[in-house]
Amino acid sequence: MAEKRYYVTTPIYYPSGKWHLGSAYTTVLADAVSRYRKLDGYEVFFLTGTDEHGLKIEKKAAESGKDPKNYVDEIVADLKRLWKLMDIEYSKFIRTTDDYHVKAVQKIFTKLYEKGEIYKSQYEGWYCVPCESFWTETQLKEGKCPDCGREVTKSKEESYFFRLSKYADRLMRLYEENPDFLLPGSRVNEMVNNFIKPGLSDLAVSRTSFKWGVPVPFDNRHVIYVWIDALSNYITALGYGGDDDALYQKFWPADVHLMAKEIVRFHSIIWPALLMALDIPVPKKVYGHGWLMMGGDKLSKSKAGNALKDVIDPFVLIERYGSDSMRYVLLKEGPYAGDTPYTNETLITTINSDLANDLGNLLSRTTAMISQYFGGKAPAPKGYGDLDRQLIDMAEGLYSRYRQHIENCDVPSILEDAMALVRRTNKYIDETMPWALAKSEEGRGRLSTVLYVLAEALRICAAYLYPAMPKAATAIWKSLGVEEKIDSFDSVKRFGGLKPGSKVTKGAPLFARLDANREAKELEKIALSSQKKEKPMEKPEISIEDFSKIELKTARVIACEKVEKADKLLKLTVDVGGQTRTLISGIAKHYSPEEMVGKTVVLVANLAPAKLRGIVSEGMILCAEDEQGNLSIISPDKEMGSGCEVR
Ligand code: MSP
């Protein structure tokens, strides 16, 4: 039998900022796909990494006063920490700044040049820095980048070009002859109608206007276009263009490149054309899922205030709910062709209903009953009836259904099938009523069968849930006394693998049930407080000279009364180092006149007088105000006289 090998990749990520849950989606999906394939007997290579060159990184590094490599090192370390916390088991993490990659990219570029696939000319057009994409005048949408809608900059420079235009026919053939090359199917039309039919232009593949990239080896005024550098990672990581290409020989062509829809164009047009030009086989599949909408958009940068309550640092979420819960929610709710909004509510409801209720309860009920009625030893079944057969058929059907779904990387459907069996098994408890069977001697035989069916159905479900929730699934097998690791589907393809007599233990609940209302409020608080921390200053920076123009003084309130027909205003009489002044202040909703008398406050003493409700106010007192509109007067921390300078 041919050896079963599987090569799955994620995009390599731009280390350009903070990570959010949406950016984790593809990697969690790839990890689940990789684990499923391993259970199915494949030798898997799972590649991820970072895309570290380009103008965008060069600019960001300059803004933070660092050299680009130091700048990305910190962010890459953070990303690796995130993957570790999320139990991502990649085979390799490539960085495009890795020496072997840089050399291999240079070899690739030289080879293309020597084959006449790359030539030198002049580039004139538009460049979108955030997308690192070139556009012609006609491709722009209302003068902006057609991918992200942001400003583009005019660019004119000498450039090397890749003969992309000559590959249009071969690309069309690739799609026609391999209907599964690009998934979901709707993406094929997008590529054909938006890019290939209007005519492919040759692609500018070098830049001279910045330095942070792989130098063109035979013309080092140029750096190689970041997308050529980045796409090549899928083969350089395997050793292509290096000293040892054994992994390349073993795993290429890739079985699937996973990504979100915005970069499908690069993977289904530019990448296959480059490979064709290099006489290398093209990947078997490109899968471009939709976006997880974080707070209203892909990047979680929406200005839509209310939606931001759902944007929470993934590190915080993992610490709070554990990686299994986060992985399950992402995989179950994750987008297929369209986009899916992500909300705190979805997170809480899914943890409560699927994990704490359905799965957690099934485990605790099953193990509790086996402990109670059979002293913690899995009973042997004593013959199956129709009801049992329903569950057995469902459990045995999981494998063939899995096989269909995995071909489309459809992890949500695999999970849905496993959870449907969990729910069916919970219902089976209500239908068979083991507690009633336990009451009579005749019922004991049936009870053995029922409890065996429960435990075995749960063992089988756990194997299909393992790629999403490796920790919880492993804990389930342990609780059921299964000694083997979950490393193959072999023992779950047929019902009956659980050994009667296995030592069953009732462990701690798998997932804690959340108080939905309280949790939603907590999450909202966490989101808002972290966003406040990140909020930039709203007013322009001022110099110390600007500040010194403001005269701040302590003042003691000697009299206070309400201003007639103005429910927000108080009239204060204050003493400022022996001088008396009148002030009008909008604090009447927060302080009564009686409370104010005797207080020492801080006064902006040189503010131009202003007339309010016919009264001249000679200055202003300082207060702090929070987002809910609560006010607090600023007073000196220790007893101070009036008229002291505040600075
Ligand atoms: N560096 C390029 C990829 C080069 S691959 C040769 C890039 N990087 S990226 O960091 O901007 O985005 C990488 C990927 O992150 C997206 O393609 C997608 O897989 C994932 N996602 C980022 N935000 C996401 C969502 N909100 N939702 C789903 N996936 C998201 O593009």
Side-chain angles (χ1 to χ4, degrees), residues 10-16 19-27 50-52 56 130-131 226-227 229-234 258-264 266-267 289-294 297-300 335 340:
T10 72
I12 46 174
Y13 288 77
Y14 290 128
S16 53
W19 308 109
H20 60 80
L21 216 51
S23 46
Y25 176 66
T26 319
T27 308
T50 39
D51 183 359
E52 305 183 9
K56 184 161 63 177
C131 294
V226 65
W227 270 100
D229 168 7
L231 288 162
S232 304
N233 96 90
Y234 299 129
L258 298 176
M259 72 207 67
K261 60 186 184 183
E262 79 286 356
I263 55 172
V264 162
F266 298 93
H267 286 79
H289 56 75
W291 291 332
L292 196 64
M293 304 295 272
M294 306 298 302
D297 65 17
K298 173 189 173 244
L299 299 167
S300 80
T340 317

Side-chain angles (χ1 to χ4, degrees), residues 319-337:
E319 190 175 319
R320 205 171 170 84
Y321 305 113
S323 64
D324 275 5
S325 304
M326 296 315 300
R327 289 169 62 104
Y328 178 79
V329 173
L330 277 176
L331 289 169
K332 179 166 178 243
E333 297 301 323
Y336 190 62

Side-chain angles (χ1 to χ4, degrees), residues 170-217:
R170 279 183 73 182
L171 289 169
M172 286 298 282
R173 236 178 301 136
L174 171 68
Y175 303 155
E176 279 158 19
E177 289 167 8
N178 304 280
D180 287 338
F181 171 73
L182 182 53
L183 288 180
S186 54
R187 306 260 181 262
V188 180
N189 288 340
E190 286 168 29
M191 293 304 121
V192 172
N193 296 335
N194 298 348
F195 299 105
I196 301 188
K197 281 207 176 132
L200 288 178
S201 320
D202 287 352
L203 181 72
V205 288
S206 74
R207 309 292 314 270
T208 51
S209 52
F210 63 90
K211 282 271 154 266
W212 182 236
V214 178
V216 171

Side-chain angles (χ1 to χ4, degrees), residues 453-473:
V453 168
L454 280 179
E456 174 60 351
L458 185 54
R459 185 186 72 90
I460 293 177
C461 290
Y464 291 93
L465 294 173
Y466 171 84
M469 296 183 285
K471 288 191 184 112

Side-chain angles (χ1 to χ4, degrees), residues 123-127 134-141 146 201-202:
Y123 175 77
E124 230 186 311
W126 298 91
Y127 196 68
F134 296 104
W135 301 104
T136 60
E137 185 78 40
T138 51
Q139 284 172 323
L140 299 181
K141 246 194 213 151
S201 320
D202 287 352

